Amino acid sequence: MKNRSRENIFISLYQLFVEEHWFRMPMTTYKHMQRGIDKQKTWFSCLILVILLFCGCQKRPEEAQLERVNIAFQQWVGYGPLYLAQERGLFEEEGIDMVFLDEQLDSARRDAFKQGMLDCEAGTIDLLISKRSQDTPIVAVLEIDRSMGSDGIVATEDIKTVEDLKGKKVAFARDDVGETFISYLFHKKGLSLDDITIVPRKPDGAWLAFLEGEVDAAVTWEPWLSKATQRPGGHILISTREEPEIIIDTLNVRDDLVKDNPGLVKGLMRAWFKALKYCREHPVEASEIIAKYYDVTPEEYREQITGLKWFGYEEQIKEKEANQWFTTFNVISEIKFTNGRIPRKPNAAKAINRTLLEGLYEDSQ
Amino acid sequence: MKIANKINLSFSIVVVILVGIASFTFYTIAKTNLEKAIYAHLSTTAQSRANHIETHLEGVKARLEILTESNLIEDTVKKIIHNGPDSKESLQNLDLILRDFAKAEKEAYELFILNPDGKIIASTDERHIGADESGEAHFLGGKDEVYIRDAHYSESEEPEYSISAPIRDDYTKELLGILVGEIRMTYLNEITTDRTGLGKTGEIYIVNKYGYMITPSRFKEDTFLKQKVDTENCRMSVAKYPQTHTGHGSVDIFQDYRGVMVLGAHEDIPEMQWSLLAEIDEKEALAPLAVMKLIFIIIFCTIPAVIWTVGSLLSRIITAPIHKLHKGTEIIGEGNLDYKVGTDTKDEIGQLARAFDMMTSDLKGSTTSIDNLNKEIAERKQAEDTLRSTYEELENANHGLKEMQSQMVQSEKLASIGQLAAGVAHEMNTPIGFVASNFQTLESYVDKIKKLLGMYGELTNEIDTLGKSELLNKATAIGKSREDMKIDFVLEDIQELFDDSKEGLDRVTDIIQTLRDFSRIDRSGSLEKYDLNEGIKATLIVAQNEIKYDADVKTEFSELPRILCHSDQINQVLLNILVNAVQAINSRQREGMGAITIKTYAADSEVICEISDDGPGIDPDTLSKIFDPFFTTKSAGEGTGLGLSVSYDIIVHKHDGKLLAESTVDKGTKFTIKLPIAVKERNEKKEIKNDGKKNSIVCRR
């Protein structure tokens, strides 16, 4: 070694990379290198420097891309776990970049589904029926929740029974859940929608009409149902507590997605069940996350959700629930068709797909 | 490694690293600045286009709203509602109004009015009158307020959007109908497809809230509601989380919907939930960077070559004189001292060369002097040889001298012994003399006794054979002979003779004992306890013979402590001084006897013996030399000149004592011996230490 001091930096670099086994090489090569070490050390170190410089200029590889899924739904407390799933990253865990879209109008959702731009929605069975009847390519894959008191009719003091509504001004959204509920009640009582004065409103507008005294009654749901009762004398005339089978929310997914990308849909479903599980295990934390999306306090939120029921995976795969979906679907189809709200009765077998639900955890991961 | 290569390599490495760092830094800065500029440009473009679109939408909306608020429309619709199918005139008027409006609004595809139940009562397209639109968004959305339906396909598959506005009674606010305007996307497309300032690959397009393109792409056909745009730029503009959504911004290089890397910016159109995206291909946008990159790479590649070349030239200039020097050293090394490196350069190497040349000439000069030097060395060597032989001779001489010295000491010893022997012989002579004479007498006495005893023997033998008379005669004869031979006297005298002889022999024994004590034959060599007085006495006996005819010895002994010393050596000193004193006294012609005074006493830590004589004294010159070896005043052959020198050595060196001589001419000389009482052990040690080293005369003894 003739000039150690000058070669010191190169030697240490060389040792760092070769002798410290930063990368391995065959022993023969190593010995060979040892022999010609004087010259090679210098050149090797230069090479390493150049490589390092080039490496420093390179960009890091991009991370795995998530798949964008558009979801739209009306404001309804039963969909709260969707916000929770979004905030806790449950969709991302399934490789989904979930985009929540504000689309209150069912017709707009229908158009978007038809155009293939909207991927899924949370919605009631009656809306599924109307969309299916207009050839909207969507299918229900799981039950989101069941209204058991959260939907109802608010009415003035003098209206004590459903029959009392006759001749009154009632606000609700046409072709929406409200209409379905009141139609069903009237159907049971042998009344017709013609017996009342319908004041059509947007889904999120009916309760305000009642609160402001425009109408005598309004068909609405939580979070507005409780808010509407703040009108003096306002009370809940009847709610889904008495008629629990009629308003069922389902997760509806575009047909082609179910067909072409069942893995993605399953991921979506698993995220939902994960969110539900979290809500059950941590009700307080869950309510704290969700409540802010409804502009209520966690306590109020917990109060509101007493009027609905979420079914976990185990409950949903039961035969009884399957039958209930079909029953409700057919009952409402019948009423809607009779009332002339839909051009034809859609086929329940095509509108409901339980195969993904039943095989949800078969090929996960 | 050669110096040239070392210089080259270090030069190259340093330059390459510096150029690399500089290029990298410049490139990064340039890239950042360029990107910033591009982003700023894209953002501004996106913003202005978005503003333009918003203004346009507002305009259309406002115009429709004005129309719905006009009394003409209100009255006409009222009439139609009240009169039902009979109000043909009103319907015609309404058609006219709509057509007029449609003419003014170039993009309008169709304008129609719905009654509160959702049925078309008037339209620019007559075919549609009476159609039920109650399930459509523009009806449901437009009942309460102005509603803009997002971009969609018209009946004739043309891209359009629609604006619906409620027509209300001015006073009762009752809903009379809804005016719906279906507007073509053409103007919006014009705004977005204006490529001003977008280069060859820049494009601007709008994506609806579902993430689908609603304005034409620069690169693809038929994208309306079909081209999904799920890019980073688009995602950033989607208000997924209201907290983090800013509505506008730019995105670093990303993949666009075609899979091409682009730079982009986005701007929200909140009312429509649209995102306006402005993008440009990275290739085009960063083209100046590519050129820069190429230039840098070329520089990066060429620089080492240039540096190597320059370095080689430079190092050749530097190393050429060194090579010359090297060659010079080799030539000179072979012996050619006339060679000159000779360089004119003024630098350090030039100086070195000149110094080298100077050195060579010096070397040449010194080579000549080396020859002389060699000669000188040879001479010196010879001289050294001579010197060595002389030295050897001297050594031999020295050796001879030493031997001689030893012989001299030996003869001094012999002289002492001679003196001793003479003294002892003389002392023993007298007692031995009369013992010998007594023996002669005894011999005659014994003969007489023998004779008498013989007679008595004859008598005894003849007792039986002879008669009484004969016997008597014989006895009488024997008695007579006894008287004749004076036997009785003999017997008396024998006793006396024996007593005398015994005394004589005792004296001899004493002398022999003294002699033994003096010379310490039995205990020689080791320290022993010694009484100085006794030593003096013994010495006096030994020296008796020398002294007694010339001097009277007067002793004044004090009681002395015994000291540790070599008694034989001290005795030798005493004897020496005494004999010298006697000889000194003897050298002075005088009538009577001389006097020697011996005085002993003890001082603080030493015993002192003073021996004075009343001899002629010693003059100061001589006095200073008396302890020198071989110094003598006696004629040659009489003395060795070693006596006092040896004495001095014994007292001073071997016993740590002092030997002093004081003398006054014509009065006498006094020698003083001072011996320490506590003769320390170190004396012994010193002696041992000195033994064999110091080639002194004393040690040789």
Side-chain angles (χ1 to χ4, degrees):
Chain A
M1 221 112 334
K2 284 170 225 156
N3 197 343
R4 238 188 192 284
S5 60
R6 190 176 299 189
E7 289 178 7
N8 262 350
I9 179 145
F10 300 121
I11 290 167
S12 48
L13 262 173
Y14 177 85
Q15 283 168 346
L16 187 68
F17 283 95
V18 178
E19 290 169 8
E20 295 295 321
H21 302 280
W22 268 43
F23 59 82
R24 304 252 170 203
M25 57 172 73
M27 209 53 208
T28 46
T29 318
Y30 185 73
K31 279 177 183 164
H32 174 74
M33 287 198 71
Q34 285 283 9
R35 275 200 291 276
I37 225 144
D38 263 359
K39 280 181 184 175
Q40 291 203 3
K41 266 180 185 172
T42 317
W43 289 117
F44 186 83
S45 311
C46 291
L47 189 72
I48 292 288
L49 268 177
V50 171
I51 289 170
L52 279 178
L53 267 174
F54 273 93
C55 288
C57 303
Q58 293 300 311
K59 271 188 89 175
R60 283 162 180 273
E62 300 244 338
E63 351 173 334
Q65 194 98 43
L66 299 175
E67 191 152 353
R68 174 171 171 167
V69 171
N70 289 328
I71 190 169
F73 46 84
Q74 294 183 342
Q75 204 164 11
W76 160 239
V77 288
Y79 305 151
L82 287 171
Y83 293 112
L84 180 106
Q86 180 78 314
E87 249 192 49
R88 290 190 59 79
L90 302 180
F91 293 122
E92 279 168 33
E93 279 175 21
E94 299 290 349
I96 294 166
D97 174 29
M98 185 62 97
V99 178
F100 287 13
L101 294 167
D102 173 30
E103 194 58 273
Q104 297 288 325
L105 284 177
D106 193 51
S107 53
R109 293 205 293 273
R110 177 198 66 206
D111 293 343
F113 270 129
K114 281 187 174 175
Q115 191 58 51
M117 298 189 297
L118 184 59
D119 302 308
C120 59
E121 63 157 10
T124 51
I125 282 188
D126 67 289
L127 294 183
L128 173 67
I129 292 163
S130 55
K131 273 178 286 206
R132 284 298 305 186
S133 72
Q134 292 171 73
D135 302 321
T136 313
I138 54 167
V139 61
V141 292
L142 64 77
E143 181 179 333
I144 297 246
D145 64 72
R146 195 167 294 186
S147 178
M148 296 176 104
S150 284
D151 287 83
I153 301 174
V154 277
T156 49
E157 216 170 349
D158 54 314
I159 300 167
K160 300 277 193 306
T161 63
V162 176
E163 286 86 348
D164 290 346
L165 285 170
K166 265 178 101 173
K168 304 282 186 199
K169 282 162 91 177
V170 183
F172 54 83
R174 293 306 309 252
D175 294 322
D176 208 290
V177 194
E179 185 180 315
T180 308
F181 186 53
I182 197 166
S183 307
Y184 176 73
L185 293 174
F186 276 27
H187 177 76
K188 274 179 84 177
K189 304 280 178 187
L191 295 171
S192 152
L193 288 183
D194 296 337
D195 296 330
I196 53 166
T197 309
I198 299 170
V199 180
R201 281 284 182 274
K202 285 209 286 186
D204 53 357
W207 71 284
L208 259 177
F210 178 75
L211 193 69
E212 287 166 359
E214 259 185 71
V215 292
D216 305 307
V219 191
T220 185
W221 55 86
E222 295 291 9
W224 304 306
L225 189 61
S226 340
K227 284 182 183 169
T229 55
Q230 286 164 5
R231 174 178 164 180
H235 70 105
I236 295 170
L237 176 67
I238 188 167
S239 76
T240 44
R241 197 180 304 281
E242 290 84 20
E243 300 289 344
E245 276 84 38
I246 204 65
I247 298 180
I248 296 175
D249 282 290
T250 53
L251 179 69
N252 308 327
V253 184
R254 228 171 55 229
D255 278 347
D256 61 317
L257 264 184
V258 174
K259 216 172 97 188
D260 302 337
N261 201 349
L264 184 77
V265 181
K266 280 184 176 181
L268 197 63
M269 293 161 76
R270 281 194 294 269
W272 168 259
F273 286 119
K274 271 190 217 170
L276 268 197
K277 199 169 168 238
Y278 184 85
C279 287
R280 276 188 187 167
E281 287 166 1
H282 310 94
V284 179
E285 289 93 325
S287 68
E288 276 163 4
I289 293 170
I290 298 167
K292 59 179 181 278
Y293 289 98
Y294 295 98
D295 206 13
V296 292
T297 64
E299 293 74 27
E300 284 170 337
Y301 174 76
R302 287 203 295 275
E303 177 60 33
Q304 286 173 6
I305 60 171
T306 52
L308 63 91
K309 189 169 190 292
W310 285 302
F311 289 89
Y313 177 71
E314 302 301 329
E315 295 153 304
Q316 289 203 25
I317 52 170
K318 282 178 190 160
E319 189 74 14
K320 185 179 163 258
E321 293 311 315
N323 291 337
Q324 185 59 55
W325 294 7
F326 286 100
T327 312
T328 305
F329 190 92
N330 289 328
V331 166
I332 298 173
S333 293
E334 186 62 45
I335 296 169
K336 273 182 171 282
F337 185 67
T338 314
N339 288 349
R341 303 307 304 179
I342 49 173
R344 55 185 176 80
K345 282 193 275 182
N347 185 352
K350 281 186 177 168
I352 297 168
N353 181 342
R354 287 179 56 87
T355 53
L356 289 179
L357 186 68
E358 278 151 12
L360 187 59
Y361 292 100
E362 274 172 14
D363 53 353
S364 62
Q365 275 95 50
Chain B
M1 198 186 265
K2 283 182 178 176
I3 289 181
N5 289 347
K6 276 183 190 175
I7 293 170
N8 269 348
L9 192 64
S10 354
F11 227 61
S12 307
I13 289 171
V14 168
V15 169
V16 164
I17 289 172
L18 286 180
V19 168
I21 291 170
S23 311
F24 183 71
T25 316
F26 282 134
Y27 182 77
T28 315
I29 292 170
K31 192 179 170 189
T32 316
N33 286 340
L34 185 62
E35 281 177 1
K36 254 188 209 165
I38 292 166
Y39 290 137
H41 174 66
L42 286 176
S43 289
T44 325
T45 313
Q47 217 166 352
S48 73
R49 301 291 169 94
N51 285 342
H52 194 166
I53 287 167
E54 272 173 337
T55 318
H56 172 71
L57 288 174
E58 284 299 319
V60 177
K61 218 167 107 180
R63 286 194 290 277
L64 272 172
E65 254 181 311
I66 290 166
L67 190 63
T68 58
E69 279 162 16
S70 73
N71 291 335
L72 191 62
I73 286 259
E74 200 185 312
D75 291 344
T76 322
V77 174
K78 250 189 209 167
K79 271 179 197 165
I80 293 165
I81 289 172
H82 288 300
N83 300 341
D86 303 330
S87 51
K88 262 191 183 162
E89 195 189 340
S90 306
L91 281 169
Q92 275 171 1
N93 284 344
L94 208 56
D95 272 352
L96 218 64
I97 295 167
L98 292 180
R99 276 174 215 281
D100 277 355
F101 188 83
K103 262 181 208 162
E105 202 69 51
K106 275 183 225 157
E107 285 83 34
Y109 170 74
E110 187 186 351
L111 273 115
F112 54 88
I113 293 172
L114 297 166
N115 69 8
D117 293 329
K119 290 213 165 68
I120 296 177
I121 50 170
S123 171
T124 47
D125 190 338
E126 283 170 7
R127 292 169 297 167
H128 294 148
I129 293 173
D132 184 1
E133 298 275 313
S134 61
E136 297 301 327
H138 49 240
F139 168 70
L140 293 166
K143 279 195 288 190
D144 299 319
E145 58 201 348
V146 178
Y147 172 81
I148 302 180
R149 190 180 160 196
D150 208 339
H152 57 274
Y153 280 107
S154 72
E155 210 181 27
S156 59
E157 300 291 307
E158 234 180 291
E160 62 165 29
Y161 62 96
S162 54
I163 299 175
S164 35
I167 305 167
R168 292 179 189 278
D169 189 307
D170 256 355
Y171 302 103
T172 60
K173 294 286 168 199
E174 190 196 343
L175 182 71
L176 301 172
I178 295 159
L179 174 68
V180 180
E182 292 188 336
I183 318 289
R184 291 189 189 91
M185 296 286 287
T186 44
Y187 192 67
L188 294 185
N189 293 351
E190 262 173 44
I191 295 173
T192 56
T193 51
D194 175 6
R195 316 274 189 227
T196 319
L198 289 171
K200 283 174 189 161
T201 59
E203 64 170 337
I204 286 173
Y205 55 93
I206 297 173
V207 174
N208 70 5
K209 63 183 170 189
Y210 297 100
Y212 286 80
M213 211 182 264
I214 57 170
T215 56
S217 156
R218 187 170 187 170
F219 308 100
K220 277 186 164 180
E221 293 288 321
D222 193 22
T223 55
F224 183 74
L225 295 184
K226 283 175 188 150
Q227 178 61 53
K228 195 174 182 179
V229 181
D230 188 14
T231 61
E232 216 180 322
N233 199 16
C234 183
R235 250 175 276 148
M236 295 278 285
S237 70
V238 173
K240 216 199 302 190
Y241 298 108
Q243 302 95 305
T244 55
H245 178 241
T246 53
H248 60 86
S250 59
V251 180
D252 209 353
I253 300 159
F254 63 95
Q255 238 180 16
D256 78 347
Y257 59 94
R258 297 168 291 154
V260 176
M261 299 310 285
V262 295
L263 282 78
H266 55 265
E267 188 72 34
D268 277 10
I269 301 172
E271 193 179 4
M272 300 303 297
Q273 298 186 50
W274 287 347
S275 311
L276 185 135
L277 307 181
E279 291 166 358
I280 187 164
D281 281 13
E282 183 197 6
K283 243 182 217 168
E284 188 192 353
L286 303 182
L289 277 185
V291 175
M292 199 186 246
K293 208 175 188 175
L294 189 72
I295 290 169
F296 280 144
I297 288 172
I298 290 169
I299 289 174
F300 203 77
C301 295
T302 19
I303 283 243
V306 172
I307 290 300
W308 194 266
T309 320
V310 172
S312 299
L313 281 172
L314 204 71
S315 52
R316 198 165 298 162
I317 291 166
I318 293 170
T319 53
I322 297 177
H323 278 306
K324 217 171 163 188
L325 254 177
H326 177 235
K327 206 178 149 196
T329 50
E330 276 176 354
I331 291 169
I332 289 159
E334 283 160 11
N336 182 4
L337 289 178
D338 293 326
Y339 182 83
K340 288 268 180 281
V341 179
T343 172
D344 299 331
T345 49
K346 298 278 183 287
D347 60 9
E348 289 85 345
I349 292 168
Q351 286 172 3
L352 184 68
R354 281 190 287 279
F356 191 79
D357 283 346
M358 213 183 281
M359 190 193 78
T360 319
S361 65
D362 282 356
L363 199 67
K364 205 179 164 192
S366 41
T367 317
T368 333
S369 46
I370 279 172
D371 289 344
N372 294 339
L373 217 61
N374 279 340
K375 216 179 270 173
E376 207 172 295
I377 285 169
E379 278 169 11
R380 283 190 185 186
K381 230 175 204 172
Q382 210 173 339
E384 196 188 315
D385 285 346
T386 322
L387 211 63
R388 190 172 289 140
S389 62
T390 317
Y391 174 75
E392 273 165 13
E393 276 168 26
L394 270 174
E395 186 94 310
N396 289 340
N398 192 24
H399 188 67
L401 262 175
K402 273 180 187 164
E403 249 171 37
M404 207 156 79
Q405 190 187 23
S406 139
Q407 279 170 10
M408 293 287 274
V409 170
Q410 203 60 32
S411 56
E412 166 68 19
K413 217 172 168 184
L414 284 172
S416 292
I417 292 166
Q419 273 175 348
L420 202 69
V424 168
H426 188 80
E427 280 303 305
M428 288 187 3
N429 202 30
T430 316
I432 298 259
F434 68 74
V435 168
S437 125
N438 284 358
F439 265 94
Q440 277 179 359
T441 316
L442 272 173
E443 213 171 14
S444 66
Y445 287 172
V446 169
D447 280 347
K448 282 174 185 173
I449 290 166
K450 263 183 187 170
K451 229 179 246 173
L452 191 64
L453 280 173
M455 283 175 201
Y456 280 118
E458 275 173 35
L459 187 69
T460 311
N461 290 335
E462 288 166 0
I463 278 177
D464 293 336
T465 55
L466 292 176
K468 221 175 183 180
S469 59
E470 284 176 314
L471 282 174
L472 204 58
N473 292 337
K474 280 237 177 182
T476 312
I478 290 169
K480 201 185 172 226
S481 309
R482 190 175 163 168
E483 266 175 37
D484 290 345
M485 283 191 282
K486 296 175 189 172
I487 290 300
D488 294 331
F489 171 78
V490 166
L491 287 174
E492 263 173 45
D493 204 30
I494 279 176
Q495 190 55 49
E496 213 170 300
L497 281 173
F498 272 120
D499 286 345
D500 282 354
S501 299
K502 199 182 171 194
E503 198 194 323
L505 287 173
D506 280 349
R507 275 177 68 185
V508 170
T509 310
D510 274 353
I511 289 166
I512 289 170
Q513 186 59 43
T514 309
L515 195 63
R516 283 182 67 161
D517 285 348
F518 180 83
S519 61
R520 282 284 158 219
I521 298 159
D522 49 350
R523 277 170 287 172
S524 168
S526 63
L527 285 171
E528 72 243 43
K529 291 217 166 180
Y530 174 75
D531 186 340
L532 185 60
N533 291 342
E534 291 301 318
I536 294 169
K537 282 178 194 166
T539 309
L540 282 174
I541 291 168
V542 170
Q544 189 65 27
N545 189 45
E546 296 277 332
I547 304 167
K548 65 183 176 192
Y549 304 111
D550 298 310
D552 291 329
V553 176
K554 191 180 163 196
T555 56
E556 294 171 28
F557 290 156
S558 308
E559 199 171 315
L560 295 176
R562 291 158 83 87
I563 57 167
L564 272 172
C565 64
H566 300 281
S567 56
D568 55 335
Q569 291 174 10
I570 302 292
N571 288 346
Q572 189 187 341
V573 173
L574 291 171
L575 180 66
N576 210 327
I577 292 171
L578 277 173
V579 169
N580 277 352
V582 172
Q583 282 170 352
I585 289 168
N586 205 18
S587 69
R588 201 177 184 186
Q589 302 300 320
R590 63 165 88 200
E591 292 294 313
M593 301 275 271
I596 293 174
T597 313
I598 302 175
K599 192 177 169 189
T600 65
Y601 58 93
D604 299 335
S605 57
E606 48 196 7
V607 290
I608 299 163
C609 170
E610 294 175 358
I611 300 169
S612 357
D613 63 64
D614 56 353
I618 310 165
D619 64 276
D621 279 352
T622 317
L623 189 64
S624 62
K625 293 179 196 163
I626 55 169
F627 294 121
D628 295 347
F630 305 111
F631 177 78
T632 184
T633 51
K634 295 165 190 166
S635 50
E638 267 185 38
T640 58
L642 284 171
L644 279 175
S645 156
V646 169
S647 299
Y648 188 84
D649 186 63
I650 289 169
I651 298 298
V652 175
H653 295 136
K654 290 192 165 180
H655 289 85
D656 259 359
K658 286 172 188 143
L659 181 58
L660 309 169
E662 300 165 49
S663 184
T664 317
V665 178
D666 290 339
K667 283 273 170 70
T669 306
K670 182 170 95 178
F671 281 90
T672 308
I673 302 167
K674 291 183 178 177
L675 287 167
I677 295 166
V679 173
K680 285 157 198 162
E681 283 297 310
R682 67 187 160 91
N683 275 331
E684 180 80 348
K685 278 179 188 162
K686 194 172 170 185
E687 192 180 344
I688 294 162
K689 214 168 95 185
N690 287 340
D691 198 27
K693 263 192 188 173
K694 194 173 166 189
N695 269 338
S696 68
I697 304 153
V698 180
C699 287
R700 287 253 173 159
R701 293 180 70 151

